[in-house]
Amino acid sequence: MSGMPEGAGAVPAFCPDAVLQAAAALGANRLALLRQVGLEPESLRVPGARIPVDRYLQLYRLAERGTASPDLGLNVGHITYFMGMNLHLYMTTICRNLKEYLNVIPSTIRLRGDQGRVLIRPAGDFIRLEWHPLHVDTLRWRCLNDEMLLSSSRIVDAICALPVPVLAAEFSYSRPADCCALEAAFGAQLRFDCEICCVYFSRECLRYPLIDPGFE
């Protein structure tokens, strides 16, 4: 499915909802954005609802233009990370360590619909969490890449009993004029114009035990 054309597939309704929440927090008009892509507010509240990818990406780009915030994707990533915590906390009850969690957790294509895949690969003394978009028009789009890297790295850090800091990050887009928000999210070791977007963790974190939330 790599390189599938934009417009194919669908995403869960929480994905556009997260974009709308972030955009509204930055001053955009939520209802106006929905009207521009032909969506009703109620359509995002139907259990199990899915939204066509083309409308979702159109909404995302309108939100990016409407907020004029290059860091919009980081805000969306923070929201989607929080929205998925119930699932991830549940997974900590059936997995003992991060390695087991990464082997069991449903792929991002199931959690986030037809947007792309998150893959974990070994890299010497490190592991790489890679984001592979499915849509050719999003390969170097900062918003979506930032969102996926931030939400994924925060989940990894949140569920482990020991801290899992990002040691370095690589981005497929060019270096922006202001990297303050990226450095706050991923640290100072940032590289741009790379083949893919990814973050690096210490390989030893695979053995870290997961937090026990005390669920029965």
Side-chain angles (χ1 to χ4, degrees):
M1 297 181 70
S2 177
M4 71 187 294
E6 184 174 332
V11 298
F14 81 83
C15 294
D17 189 42
V19 172
L20 290 166
Q21 288 189 48
L26 291 166
N29 186 307
R30 180 186 179 103
L31 291 178
L33 288 170
L34 283 169
R35 283 197 296 269
Q36 288 180 79
V37 296
L39 291 175
E40 296 295 331
E42 296 77 14
S43 66
L44 304 184
R45 301 301 179 190
V46 177
R50 294 175 67 83
I51 306 299
V53 165
D54 56 352
R55 290 195 184 188
Y56 166 66
L57 294 178
Q58 182 187 8
L59 176 72
Y60 214 147
R61 291 194 169 98
L62 287 170
E64 183 183 28
R65 290 198 293 270
T67 61
S69 173
D71 300 322
L72 176 64
L74 296 174
N75 299 104
V76 178
H78 172 70
I79 294 169
T80 54
Y81 146 73
F82 186 83
M83 285 178 161
M85 281 309 296
N86 282 344
L87 170 62
H88 300 296
L89 284 172
Y90 167 72
M91 296 300 292
T92 65
T93 67
I94 61 175
C95 299
R96 294 171 298 176
N97 55 44
L98 182 59
K99 184 176 182 179
E100 288 187 3
Y101 170 87
L102 294 173
N103 287 333
V104 172
I105 188 67
S107 68
T108 296
I109 198 167
R110 290 178 59 192
L111 295 173
R112 305 280 186 87
D114 300 303
Q115 298 186 64
R117 296 181 184 274
V118 170
L119 301 177
I120 304 291
R121 301 186 190 277
D125 292 333
F126 310 96
I127 56 171
R128 267 179 23 157
L129 186 153
E130 302 175 351
W131 167 240
H132 294 267
L134 290 177
H135 300 274
V136 293
D137 286 356
T138 67
L139 292 175
R140 301 189 184 279
W141 184 30
R142 180 179 171 186
C143 273
L144 192 59
N145 291 327
D146 285 358
E147 175 197 341
M148 293 301 178
L149 289 189
L150 182 80
S151 60
S152 299
S153 60
R154 286 199 172 174
I155 289 166
V156 168
D157 185 46
I159 64 174
C160 288
L162 296 172
V164 186
V166 173
L167 302 180
E170 296 179 352
F171 304 95
S172 59
Y173 55 83
S174 297
R175 184 181 186 90
D178 185 349
C179 290
C180 290
L182 289 172
E183 290 179 354
F186 304 111
Q189 298 300 315
L190 307 178
R191 293 184 285 273
F192 299 90
D193 293 313
C194 299
E195 183 178 354
I196 60 170
C197 290
C198 64
V199 290
Y200 289 80
F201 305 109
S202 171
R203 191 162 185 164
E204 68 178 7
C205 74
L206 291 173
R207 300 193 299 270
Y208 287 178
L210 301 187
I211 292 173
D212 180 0
F215 297 161
E216 295 295 333

